[in-house]
Amino acid sequence: MLRIADLHATVARHEILRGVDLEVRTGEVHALMGPNGSGKSTLAHALMGSGDYEVTQGSVSIDGEELLGLATWQRAQRGLFLAMQYPVEVPGVPLEEVVGAALDARGAPRADLHARVVAEARTLGVPDELLGRGVNTEFSGGEKKRAETVQLAVLEPKFAVLDEIDSGLDVDAMRDVARRVYALARERHVGVLAITHYARLLAELRPDHVHVFLAGRIVRSGGPELADELERTGYEGIAAELGIDELTVVRPFPEADPFGDPTIASNPFADPLA
Amino acid sequence: MTAAFTADAARALGGPEWLVRRRLSAVERLAEVAWPTPSEEIWRYSRIDQLDLDRYRPFAPEELGAPGDERAPGGGPWAAEAGKHAGMIVVRDGRVVHHELDPALEAKGVRACGIATCEDDQVSTLMGRASGASEDAFTVLHDAFVAGGAFVHVPAGVVVEDPILVLHWCEGDARASFPHTLVALGEGAEATVLDRFGSPQTDHLVDAVTELLVDDNAHLRYLTVQEHGTRTWHLGLLRAHVGRDATLRTSAVALGGDYARLRSEALLTGQGAESDQLAVYFGDGQQMLDFRTLQDHDAPNTRSDLLFKGAVEDEARSVYSGLVHLRPAAKKANASQTNRNLVLTEGASAESIPNLEIEANDVRCSHASTVGPIDDEQLYYLESRGIRPEEAERLIVLGFFDDVFERLPVGALTRGLRRSVVDKLEHARARR
Ligand SMILES: Nc1ncnc2c1ncn2[C@@H]1O[C@H](COP(=O)(O)OP(=O)(O)O)[C@@H](O)[C@H]1O
Ligand SMILES: [Mg+2]
């Protein structure tokens, strides 16, 4: 089980995650839905241990083992995978080499690596030509998402966080990606946390649980029907129903007052454009 | 000039009459040459002020390897590493000690031999044709003490498929050697030449000149590899003249030396001439690797491209200073110049100074230069796959160099050169 408890995290001393609680069991598919700027990517990177985010409180564990305090690569080796919203271009290091090195690092055999990468690339519509380039290098947005899914499928982690794996994908590609992830969950028992702010992905992904994420925490959880409700009411509807007037975590513009104390200047209710 | 570099020493090196005269005339010019200092733009950031010429003396003729001498490593591992080749010239301390060439090519008039020993009328007129157009104190010193060197000639219309190897070995404390490589391709000829330099851990000064004369419609691929020991100083000029519709692809891999400098210059003299210059360099320890490049367009519709990529680690330093010169004749010329540097540790540094001088109309010109550490985002991305930071760094550095390695001629060497970069990276890491 991937267990997230009371997770708080800050960026540049500004609190973005404000107490996230979530449990994903092996083979379950969870959808986390929230508007832009609500802190979804911050959650994903805080789980993976990015140095840009400081976790100030809480716990993240896999099968009882605490991950906070471990380096990013150690978390990955404990079974966590993050498909990034903005996958990074690494010139001259092709996808197969990345996955190969990742397998080496786990002490897993590279057996059939090439065949597996090629097969997954076919399934997910990644042209062969892209496999010859540095991973993500001059890939389109959609190609990057497919390439993330290829790596996920070959590495078969215990738990996968997919940060807007649907963005930039056309309808056909979204179906291919969602089906592949669904199969990984059902057949290979990968626990999935799919972050999105569109309901479209969920039709194919068929999540067991849906969570609504506003202003740095989960405000409501339910079954697939919650996604339908969200589709009707929008985030505003849910926020109004729960009496929440804050949907996003607005980071103060540092330029506004470079000498100000960021903990005071951070009025999350202020509209920075007002 | 210093006590050891005398007219007597130059005369004593012997060889054909024209070569002796050439040396003595250079010795005379040497007296007037202003010794370089870092205050000159072309020597800015260099370590030239640390060069004490009095520490060195030229070889006496009896110290130089004689033809047939097997001491140089060229005939052994280096030849094997280069894979299938058409010919080979082994040069020890600037004098040719061995040469061989595919007899079928010999029959077509191809030459791979010694400048001082070949019976070829052309060599005396070809020598200095390119280097003489870009004289500095070290080319004059070179001309005064050059013992001989490698001569590769491919006559008009002849295509040499496999590489011709020129393997230079320099050895001896407190000695200076003056290797010369002269490559001339006749009209429409094609060839690939490897010019490889090495030395052991020896306090040695290498003052090298390579001239590439590429006649109209000819195509030359050239790779120079510099793997000197870490006490050796190397001052090299690589100068090419490229004729009408001819193409030149030069590449340099610089890994060794204490201070190693390469001036890499291509003069495009004929309409439609093209030159590509590539380089990979990796400095560690206290090394300094110094590059001065010139893309000199003196004819219409000429094209040049340059991509120099380097990394520095420990306290190593690198300099890239390059000029694109589009002369008035260079109408519709197209030039691009890119230098990228990875600075892997805080104590290391890299300078990058691209320059343009445009005197022609209707030209296209671009340049780019970057100096910086490994991208944190790239490290994080690879680590998020479970790859340890050291391995991620190794992949990123090799990936950074990949587009140059992929384009090197003499593909048989590429694997070993990649390995050398990894070895340097790992050794530097072990010291951290
Ligand atoms: N690396 C970062 N540096 C500075 N601010 C950040 C960084 N990451 C996120 N933020 C800020 O945190 C807030 C939430 O962003 P994010 O987690 O990306 O939201 P979402 O993924 O839900 O759109 C935003 O106000 C954003 O500006
Ligand atoms: Mg996001």
Side-chain angles (χ1 to χ4, degrees):
Chain A
M1 183 168 71
L2 170 67
R3 186 168 167 273
I4 304 166
D6 192 30
L7 190 68
H8 290 251
T10 61
V11 175
R13 293 206 278 156
H14 182 66
E15 185 165 66
I16 307 287
L17 298 186
R18 299 165 178 181
V20 180
D21 292 283
L22 182 61
E23 292 182 354
V24 180
R25 286 184 183 74
T26 299
E28 281 182 353
V29 177
H30 290 240
L32 185 91
M33 305 182 71
N36 270 332
S38 57
K40 304 182 300 295
S41 293
T42 302
L43 172 63
H45 289 302
L47 295 176
M48 204 69 240
S50 158
D52 293 350
Y53 304 85
E54 193 190 345
V55 172
T56 50
Q57 197 177 315
S59 157
V60 177
S61 62
I62 285 181
D63 302 336
E65 188 186 358
E66 182 61 50
L67 297 187
L68 297 182
L70 295 184
T72 295
W73 61 272
Q74 292 169 315
R75 297 182 194 203
Q77 294 201 2
R78 300 300 188 279
L80 191 62
F81 181 92
L82 169 60
M84 295 191 191
Q85 182 177 359
Y86 301 109
V88 181
E89 303 194 357
V90 190
V93 187
L95 187 152
E96 187 173 326
E97 219 170 306
V98 173
V99 179
L103 291 172
D104 293 348
R106 288 163 174 77
R110 280 197 186 211
D112 303 331
L113 174 63
H114 181 68
R116 286 168 68 198
V117 167
V118 169
E120 293 293 351
R122 295 259 155 81
T123 307
L124 289 156
V126 174
D128 285 351
E129 189 257 319
L130 294 193
L131 295 178
R133 281 192 221 161
V135 69
N136 302 322
T137 307
E138 290 166 27
F139 289 17
S140 71
E143 288 165 347
K144 287 180 181 168
K145 299 311 172 81
R146 297 171 206 233
E148 291 289 273
T149 312
V150 170
Q151 294 173 64
L152 165 67
V154 178
L155 291 175
E156 283 192 7
K158 285 184 184 163
F159 296 96
V161 178
L162 313 179
D163 192 357
E164 296 200 21
I165 196 83
D166 48 348
S167 67
L169 293 179
D170 59 34
V171 179
D172 292 341
M174 176 145 34
R175 192 194 52 233
D176 293 343
V177 165
R179 285 187 181 169
R180 190 69 193 93
V181 172
Y182 180 83
L184 284 166
R186 294 298 176 245
E187 292 158 22
R188 313 299 303 177
H189 313 294
V190 176
V192 173
L193 177 61
I195 294 172
T196 180
H197 53 152
Y198 297 113
R200 272 198 309 181
L201 178 72
L202 305 184
E204 291 285 351
L205 206 52
R206 287 176 274 166
D208 309 293
H209 303 275
V210 173
H211 310 276
V212 178
F213 193 81
L214 298 179
R217 60 206 155 86
I218 291 172
V219 296
R220 212 167 139 190
S221 298
E225 72 290 346
L226 182 53
D228 302 332
E229 185 186 336
L230 207 50
E231 194 75 327
R232 286 194 308 276
T233 66
Y235 294 112
E236 283 85 358
I238 299 240
E241 187 189 321
L242 294 171
I244 297 173
D245 43 16
E246 177 195 18
L247 272 66
T248 62
V249 274
V250 178
R251 207 170 69 86
F253 289 111
E255 302 84 343
D257 180 9
F259 305 106
D261 179 349
T263 55
I264 298 170
S266 63
N267 176 0
F269 303 100
D271 180 353
L273 301 175
Chain B
M1 203 37 63
T2 65
F5 294 93
T6 61
D8 285 345
R11 191 180 296 109
L13 290 166
E17 182 58 31
W18 67 267
L19 188 58
V20 177
R21 261 191 279 111
R22 200 172 176 278
R23 270 192 222 113
L24 293 176
S25 116
V27 172
E28 275 171 33
R29 272 177 293 141
L30 207 48
E32 279 117 54
V33 159
W35 203 247
T37 70
S39 61
E40 288 166 71
E41 182 57 32
I42 196 71
W43 290 96
R44 203 166 148 216
Y45 302 113
S46 78
R47 269 167 50 187
I48 194 61
D49 51 336
Q50 292 172 22
L51 175 64
D52 177 8
L53 212 53
D54 282 325
R55 286 222 320 268
Y56 306 99
R57 64 173 181 78
F59 282 91
E62 65 275 13
E63 296 173 313
L64 284 171
D69 191 329
E70 284 301 321
R71 285 179 303 168
W78 279 9
E81 274 174 46
K84 191 162 178 270
H85 47 272
M88 172 166 76
I89 305 172
V90 182
V91 187
R92 164 125 184 159
D93 298 324
R95 172 172 286 179
V96 172
V97 292
H98 173 82
H99 59 89
E100 62 186 46
L101 181 67
D102 175 354
L105 292 169
E106 188 101 49
K108 289 183 186 170
V110 178
R111 295 288 170 264
C113 53
I115 286 171
T117 48
C118 68
E119 316 250 302
D120 191 311
D121 297 342
Q122 291 182 85
V123 68
S124 63
T125 57
L126 294 175
M127 190 170 184
R129 193 175 279 185
S131 64
S134 186
E135 197 168 274
D136 72 2
F138 289 96
T139 64
V140 179
L141 185 65
H142 173 96
D143 286 346
F145 294 94
V146 58
F151 178 51
V152 175
H153 181 227
V154 183
V158 176
V159 174
V160 180
E161 298 282 354
D162 294 317
I164 293 176
L165 317 179
V166 181
L167 308 173
H168 300 272
W169 188 253
C170 304
E171 186 166 353
D173 283 330
R175 295 294 191 281
S177 59
F178 302 89
H180 198 106
T181 301
L182 173 58
V183 179
L185 263 56
E187 241 179 88
E190 277 181 45
T192 303
V193 173
L194 168 69
D195 210 13
R196 187 167 178 177
F197 293 87
S199 62
Q201 293 300 325
T202 182
D203 179 12
H204 194 104
L205 175 68
V206 182
D207 180 1
V209 170
T210 293
E211 303 183 80
L212 308 176
L213 302 171
V214 190
D215 211 334
D216 297 349
N217 282 308
H219 305 287
L220 176 63
R221 287 170 299 271
Y222 171 86
L223 168 64
T224 179
V225 178
Q226 184 275 101
E227 298 158 292
H228 287 305
T230 54
R231 295 171 63 212
T232 299
W233 273 54
H234 184 101
L235 295 145
L237 169 67
L238 162 62
R239 174 142 178 127
H241 289 186
V242 189
R244 184 173 46 76
D245 295 325
T247 60
L248 168 72
R249 314 223 179 290
T250 67
S251 42
V253 177
L255 304 171
D258 175 15
Y259 172 78
R261 174 180 170 99
L262 179 66
R263 291 161 62 206
S264 175
E265 305 187 344
L267 172 65
L268 306 178
T269 60
Q271 179 158 346
E274 295 190 6
S275 97
D276 281 348
Q277 297 182 49
L278 295 174
V280 163
Y281 49 99
F282 193 112
D284 64 357
Q286 311 293 318
Q287 276 186 299
M288 180 170 203
L289 301 172
D290 182 348
F291 298 91
R292 314 283 160 155
T293 68
L294 176 64
Q295 294 156 264
D296 194 346
H297 292 242
D298 197 19
N301 287 304
T302 42
R303 190 193 64 80
S304 75
D305 186 28
L306 179 146
L307 177 62
F308 272 47
K309 284 190 155 182
V312 279
E313 166 118 66
D314 301 328
E315 276 85 52
R317 291 189 292 149
S318 70
V319 180
Y320 168 84
S321 171
L323 175 65
V324 173
H325 190 180
L326 304 180
R327 294 179 190 267
K331 281 185 271 306
K332 295 201 188 298
N334 187 337
S336 73
Q337 179 191 28
T338 305
N339 173 233
R340 303 205 183 281
N341 297 279
L342 282 179
V343 179
L344 299 174
T345 49
E346 272 192 13
S349 66
E351 301 293 338
S352 181
I353 313 137
N355 277 300
L356 302 177
E357 188 177 341
I358 302 180
E359 300 174 295
N361 295 322
D362 194 14
V363 296
R364 291 178 58 187
C365 205
S366 65
H367 62 150
S369 129
T370 54
V371 176
I374 286 187
D375 182 15
D376 282 342
E377 293 287 313
Q378 293 179 359
L379 274 176
Y380 172 59
Y381 182 77
L382 294 183
E383 282 185 49
S384 79
R385 311 288 119 137
I387 301 170
R388 286 166 188 264
E390 314 85 69
E391 174 65 6
E393 198 178 300
R394 194 184 70 89
L395 289 171
I396 292 167
V397 171
L398 277 178
F400 167 77
F401 285 128
D402 193 61
D403 52 352
V404 179
F405 275 131
E406 280 299 303
R407 289 162 63 189
L408 294 184
V410 200
L413 282 182
T414 308
R415 207 188 155 90
L417 292 171
R418 277 202 172 96
R419 184 69 240 167
S420 300
V421 168
V422 171
D423 285 348
K424 290 194 85 173
L425 195 63
E426 283 169 358
H427 283 136
R429 184 141 343 89
R431 286 193 296 270
R432 266 190 217 165

